[in-house]
Amino acid sequence: VMSDTNEDGHMFERPGQGWRRSRRVRIDGGPAYRIEWEPCDPPPEPMEQLEPSEQRLALLIKGDLISFWTALARAQDPVLWMARMSNTRALQVSDDQMRVIVRLHKLVRNELVHFVPKTNTFRVKGIQEVSKDIINSIGFLVFQSFAVHSFKEDIRGKVRSAIVKFGDYYEA
C-alpha cells in the first residue's frame, strides 16, 4: 500500500473502454473521499508498455504509505483498485456510514493517538454502536471481498475472534 505523490489523476486504459482518469470526490468537504473515474484522452507521451499488473506494481513502489482515507477509498473503488482480479468485490459504504467513520476517527482515534493531557470520557456502548459499520467493513474485506489472499486461516481466525470479542455486530 504505497502511494505515488499524486493520488489524483491516475490513468489507465481498459481494452474496449478507452482511457480513464481518477479524481477524488470528498464527502461533506471532510477527509473521507471516494474515487471516481472519468473518460479522458490518452496521455500525451506514450506510457511505458508494461502488463497491467506490472504497471500497478511500478506505481505502488514509488512514494509513501497511503493514508487511512486513501485505503478506504481504494477499498470502495470497483473500477481499478478492487478490480485487479475478476472475482473481487468492492466495499460499499454509504455517505451516512462515512460520516460515522469520520466522526469516530476524529473524536476517538485522533484524541487517543494525538494525546494532549485532558479528561476524555467515552461511552463504551456508544463507541461499539458507531463502530458497527467499521466492524462490518473489516469483516467484508477479510471474508467476502476475495481481495485478501495472503491471509492464512489462523489470521482469519484471529480477525474473526477479535470481531466476536468486540460484540455481535458482524453481519456475515
Side-chain angles (χ1 to χ4, degrees):
V1 287
M2 301 296 285
S3 173
D4 63 3
T5 56
N6 180 13
E7 277 294 316
D8 285 329
H10 284 142
M11 293 179 70
F12 75 98
E13 181 181 26
R14 183 162 285 152
Q17 297 179 9
W19 283 90
R20 293 184 181 205
R21 178 185 302 273
S22 68
R23 70 181 181 95
R24 293 180 188 193
V25 178
R26 297 254 174 222
I27 298 168
D28 297 336
Y33 67 93
R34 290 193 178 85
I35 300 169
E36 287 189 0
W37 294 91
E38 303 171 327
C40 67
D41 294 327
E45 52 191 60
M47 293 184 77
E48 187 177 345
Q49 295 300 313
L50 298 173
E51 293 296 315
S53 61
E54 292 172 333
Q55 286 178 1
R56 282 189 212 96
L57 181 61
L59 173 70
L60 294 176
I61 61 175
K62 300 177 191 173
D64 300 319
L65 290 174
I66 62 173
S67 71
F68 167 77
W69 301 112
T70 298
L72 184 58
R74 288 181 181 182
Q76 295 176 77
D77 178 23
V79 177
L80 177 65
W81 296 104
M82 292 299 283
R84 294 181 307 251
M85 292 181 277
S86 61
N87 64 339
T88 55
R89 296 172 46 203
L91 175 65
Q92 295 180 2
V93 180
S94 72
D95 285 354
D96 287 338
Q97 291 170 320
M98 288 292 265
R99 288 181 193 103
V100 168
I101 293 170
V102 168
R103 184 170 168 247
L104 189 66
H105 192 269
K106 283 182 180 178
L107 297 178
V108 179
R109 184 260 180 206
N110 285 351
E111 288 295 318
L112 296 174
V113 170
H114 306 291
F115 180 74
V116 175
K118 62 181 169 184
T119 301
N120 285 318
T121 303
F122 301 109
R123 286 183 30 244
V124 173
K125 287 286 186 194
I127 291 173
Q128 285 177 323
E129 188 56 39
V130 298
S131 298
K132 178 180 179 180
D133 294 325
I134 295 169
I135 298 292
N136 285 327
S137 296
I138 292 168
F140 173 83
L141 289 170
V142 172
F143 302 112
Q144 297 175 324
S145 71
F146 304 109
V148 178
H149 298 284
S150 62
F151 276 1
K152 297 177 183 174
E153 188 54 40
D154 64 326
I155 299 298
R156 288 178 188 261
K158 288 178 182 178
V159 170
R160 182 173 280 115
S161 174
I163 289 172
V164 168
K165 284 180 184 175
F166 190 81
D168 295 327
Y169 289 107
Y170 179 57
E171 300 164 0

